[in-house]
Amino acid sequence: LDPTNSGFCLFDHFCQELQKFGWDRRQAKALFRMFDVGGEQDISMDELELVGLERRAVDQVDSLTPRDMRKKQSVEANQAVVDNFIAFLHRTFGTIVRAWRLGLDADGDGRLRFQEFCTSCKDIGYRGKLKTLWKALDSKNTGYVTLGSMAPKAQALLDDFRTFLEEDYRTLDDVFERVLDTDRSGRVSQEEFFAACRDKLKYTGNVAKLFKHLDVKQNLNLTMQEVEFL
């Protein structure tokens, strides 16, 4: 009906096409008038919806306005910058949490202002587009970024474990001494941590990932100083 992709089908062409299926011109004319709601001697895809057939799915990109398209491209470009930064942190530190604790959040207050963020990025050797990266990470314009801005799942796991501990223990020292470091060695091995979480604390979260986030020294042992990050 619309071989030229004009978006419309004229009356004569409509009749010619239907005649190929055995319709006579009178029948085709009656059907055309039924579809031609606007009375403009042509019918569009919207008018053909009267038939009740489903329309072919169209890629959403095709329906975007130029403004929406620019916005979409900007979002994709910003995400590419973030992905590049995250990949750099993984290569340099092994995990995002380790990168945050050892390289980015030097004073340990849990958040970075723009100037502090730029200084930290340069100190660890990152040379990407810092302004673009900042805008992408601080998407809510809070004026600062946190570990959660870069690794929301990791932050959620750490927060969940801390909240879990606060239900039964007053301080982290209490947990470390009474539950984790029962032999008073000053350190907790990976095996001891797993056993304590499973058997004593009855914690059902992802203990393996939790230990990896806390093990900043990557020596498969935790000290009180490392656990204090919670």
Side-chain angles (χ1 to χ4, degrees):
L1 295 179
D2 184 24
T4 61
N5 293 319
S6 64
F8 301 95
C9 178
L10 299 177
F11 172 70
D12 287 336
H13 182 72
F14 181 84
C15 292
Q16 291 173 6
E17 292 302 310
L18 261 64
Q19 285 173 350
K20 294 178 182 179
F21 292 96
W23 290 57
D24 60 36
R25 190 174 180 82
R26 180 180 58 80
Q27 293 173 319
K29 181 178 181 179
L31 183 61
F32 184 89
R33 287 179 175 175
M34 185 184 302
F35 287 135
D36 186 19
V37 178
E40 299 175 349
Q41 295 302 304
D42 59 41
I43 54 178
S44 65
M45 179 63 78
D46 291 334
E47 290 173 310
L48 280 175
E49 286 184 344
L50 179 64
V51 177
L53 295 177
E54 292 185 4
R55 297 185 62 167
R56 182 177 58 206
V58 179
D59 191 342
Q60 187 177 7
V61 174
D62 294 338
S63 62
L64 294 178
T65 65
R67 180 180 180 181
D68 289 337
M69 179 63 75
R70 288 193 298 272
K71 184 177 180 180
K72 179 176 182 295
Q73 292 173 340
S74 176
V75 170
E76 292 175 346
N78 288 348
Q79 187 58 52
V81 172
V82 173
D83 291 343
N84 177 270
F85 179 62
I86 297 300
F88 170 82
L89 296 181
H90 275 294
R91 290 194 306 270
T92 307
F93 294 93
T95 71
I96 305 302
V97 177
R98 191 165 185 266
W100 177 264
R101 297 179 65 178
L102 297 182
L104 295 173
D105 187 23
D107 59 10
D109 67 350
R111 59 178 59 185
L112 297 174
R113 297 288 179 181
F114 178 67
Q115 190 58 50
E116 185 182 9
F117 175 75
C118 292
T119 299
S120 295
C121 285
K122 291 177 182 178
D123 287 345
I124 63 176
Y126 183 70
R127 297 293 182 267
K129 300 177 180 179
L130 294 181
K131 288 185 178 180
T132 301
L133 177 60
W134 173 265
K135 290 181 180 179
L137 293 175
D138 184 26
S139 58
K140 297 182 180 179
N141 295 316
T142 59
Y144 61 85
V145 295
T146 65
L147 171 62
S149 305
M150 307 173 196
K153 291 183 179 180
Q155 183 68 72
L157 179 59
L158 292 166
D159 289 345
D160 177 71
F161 188 59
R162 184 184 65 253
T163 301
F164 176 82
L165 295 177
E166 288 174 346
E167 294 179 359
D168 297 305
Y169 301 91
R170 292 180 298 174
T171 66
L172 287 174
D173 296 86
D174 193 24
V175 178
F176 192 84
E177 294 172 1
R178 291 174 51 192
V179 182
L180 300 178
D181 184 28
T182 55
D183 60 4
R184 298 296 190 272
S185 65
R187 62 183 60 247
V188 181
S189 69
Q190 185 180 56
E191 292 75 14
E192 290 174 327
F193 184 78
F194 284 10
C197 288
R198 181 184 62 248
D199 302 329
K200 298 178 182 179
L201 296 174
K202 306 299 181 182
Y203 181 65
T204 59
N206 193 326
V207 178
K209 282 190 176 181
L210 180 61
F211 185 88
K212 186 176 182 180
H213 293 329
L214 295 174
D215 185 20
V216 176
K217 296 179 181 178
Q218 295 185 325
N219 60 1
L220 300 182
N221 285 283
L222 298 180
T223 63
M224 183 59 208
Q225 183 179 11
E226 289 175 300
V227 175
E228 280 179 342
F229 180 64
L230 291 168

